[in-house]
Amino acid sequence: MGDATGDAMRFETTAIHAGQDPEALYGSVSVPIYQTSTYAQDAVGEPKVWDYGRGGNPTREAFQTALAALEGGERCFAFASGLSAEATLLMTLRPGDHVLLADDVYGGTYRLLTRVLGPWGLSCTTCDMTDRDAVRAACSDRTRFVWVETPSNPLLKIVDLEAVTGVAHDAGAKVVVDNTFATPALQRPLASGADVVVHSVTKYIGGHSDLIGGAIVTDDADLIDALGFLAYAVGAVPGPMDCFLALRGLKTLAVRMERHSTNAAAVASFLARHPNVKQVYYPGLAGHPGHDIARRQMEGPGGMVSFTVDSADEAIRVAQRTNVFVLAESLGAVESLIEVPGPMTHASVAGSPLEVPPELIRLSVGLEHIDDLIADLERALA
């Protein structure tokens, strides 16, 4: 997390300062919340910067500048949710185009592609992106995006970004990486050759379970032009308060991801030794099939852990017995969360090739004391 970013500043420094100079009029060190929908113009058709709040806002601009710097991208576009970011990106495609999707992804992404944009004419197939040959075979001359999650949701697969990017580019496709689980504090896909990074800002970037947001970061000039138009024309933009909260989250992202990773590693080790746990999915464990790739392309294994127990009924029982881990959807916040993906976050993939094991439990490991987290899981698994 200490690699130089931007103007030779390290990641932690960039997160606190990029796009966040003290406010000019009063010297406010914190970026103000510009709670406005429109802007006064000096003359007809001559706005100072923006003519209307949908087109831009100083608080949003500060957040976009900071996140673009952290991801190492030319431009960031902020949205009202992660799914609205994905939907806007996919609107740059046309009926007949093909998206190759990883076979383990957030259920909402699969639902958007198959049930919303499928009837519109967008084609979507899935493959195991840990297999370079499978990716090559699945690409066609209609493939426009190869859509990757790494670590994936909820099975924590690790995809070799440089390998997949090489295959996709050879096929004439762009690579989109959902970097929600890792964040730029742990992984910067654009540096590995990816064309686009998407985020659910709601998760680790926000970090406090108090906002909904999304973002796209890219260097691609054609996509920058298209996304700039669509962000304004479609209008799925965030409000200034959410942008302020997301910007606040970026300031502490590096230190939070360190603690998330440390706690998650300890939880995963505990689960791996527990007799009532059948399998643990965590890239920080040496036995994880993507462990070596994660060590190479990530600066930490992250805060997400999944594991299986004997049955679906047992998974529900365990998830309902914790006290410190809160039974809730979402992830990436300071508090630890527990869920059963099958009937919760991934209900939309039931009966599809992406259906998750019914006995799977997913943990978002928070910042609490590790002894309290392990004691809570010990009670729930007893």
Side-chain angles (χ1 to χ4, degrees):
M1 278 177 281
D3 287 350
T5 306
D7 297 328
M9 290 193 299
R10 304 270 176 179
F11 183 93
E12 297 87 343
T13 309
T14 301
I16 294 169
H17 292 285
Q20 301 167 69
D21 291 336
E23 184 269 337
L25 185 58
Y26 296 107
S28 172
V29 172
S30 181
V31 174
I33 303 168
Y34 288 88
Q35 195 71 43
T36 186
S37 62
T38 193
Y39 304 94
Q41 301 187 23
D42 294 331
V44 173
E46 296 182 10
K48 291 180 172 63
V49 180
W50 302 288
D51 57 1
Y52 189 57
R54 186 176 67 250
N57 178 280
T59 315
R60 190 197 319 164
E61 189 66 20
F63 169 66
Q64 292 176 157
T65 299
L67 184 54
L70 294 176
E71 284 286 5
E74 177 69 25
R75 197 60 199 278
C76 171
F77 298 92
F79 294 89
S81 70
L83 279 173
S84 67
E86 293 185 0
T88 304
L89 176 60
L90 290 166
M91 288 181 70
T92 65
L93 305 184
R94 292 294 176 263
D97 288 343
H98 172 245
V99 176
L100 181 59
L101 185 66
D103 66 352
D104 184 50
V105 297
Y106 169 53
T109 302
Y110 182 77
R111 179 181 58 223
L112 174 64
L113 280 162
T114 57
R115 298 183 61 185
V116 178
L117 296 174
W120 176 67
L122 201 62
S123 171
C124 171
T125 57
T126 64
C127 82
D128 179 4
M129 292 198 181
T130 65
D131 184 341
R132 185 185 322 196
D133 292 335
V135 176
R136 183 178 291 108
C139 286
S140 75
D141 59 2
R142 296 186 299 112
T143 304
R144 300 294 177 260
F145 287 160
V146 173
W147 196 289
V148 181
E149 282 189 16
T150 182
S152 67
N153 183 5
L155 295 177
L156 284 302
K157 287 186 175 185
I158 298 296
V159 176
D160 187 328
L161 289 176
E162 290 185 357
V164 167
T165 296
V167 172
H169 288 172
D170 286 346
K174 299 181 189 296
V175 176
V176 179
V177 179
D178 186 333
N179 204 28
T180 296
F181 272 26
T183 81
L186 301 182
Q187 176 176 269
R188 289 176 280 283
L190 297 179
S192 296
D195 301 283
V196 186
V197 170
V198 295
H199 281 283
S200 172
V201 173
T202 309
K203 311 305 193 298
Y204 284 108
I205 289 177
H208 295 77
S209 296
D210 56 7
L211 70 94
I212 301 291
I216 300 170
V217 183
T218 185
D219 283 327
D220 188 289
D222 291 337
L223 281 176
I224 288 172
D225 288 342
L227 290 168
F229 170 76
L230 288 169
Y232 183 80
V234 177
V237 296
M241 184 65 190
D242 284 338
C243 292
F244 174 84
L245 292 172
L247 191 59
R248 177 207 60 185
L250 284 180
K251 295 174 188 287
T252 61
L253 181 62
V255 292
R256 284 189 289 109
M257 293 308 294
E258 286 181 357
R259 180 61 173 265
H260 282 300
S261 294
T262 300
N263 276 359
V267 165
S269 295
F270 160 76
L271 292 170
R273 299 189 303 269
H274 199 285
N276 292 341
V277 173
K278 301 306 175 186
Q279 185 171 356
V280 180
Y281 302 86
Y282 184 64
L285 293 177
H288 187 285
H291 177 71
D292 291 341
I293 297 171
R295 285 177 60 105
R296 171 165 50 82
Q297 73 183 20
M298 298 177 69
E299 297 186 39
M304 300 300 297
V305 181
S306 293
F307 66 99
T308 56
V309 291
D310 272 334
S311 66
D313 288 343
E314 177 70 2
I316 291 171
R317 185 191 70 81
V318 170
Q320 293 180 164
R321 282 176 56 110
T322 57
N323 294 315
V324 179
F325 282 85
V326 179
L327 178 60
E329 299 192 11
S330 199
L331 58 99
V334 292
E335 66 277 348
S336 293
L337 303 178
I338 188 170
E339 65 130 358
V340 182
M344 295 178 71
T345 53
H346 287 69
S348 59
V349 302
S352 79
L354 276 66
E355 185 167 14
V356 300
E359 67 275 15
L360 185 75
I361 296 170
R362 191 189 73 180
L363 303 177
S364 173
V365 182
L367 308 185
E368 300 93 341
H369 195 285
I370 188 57
D371 291 350
D372 296 323
L373 295 175
I374 290 176
D376 193 39
L377 291 171
E378 182 73 77
R379 284 190 300 269
L381 286 163

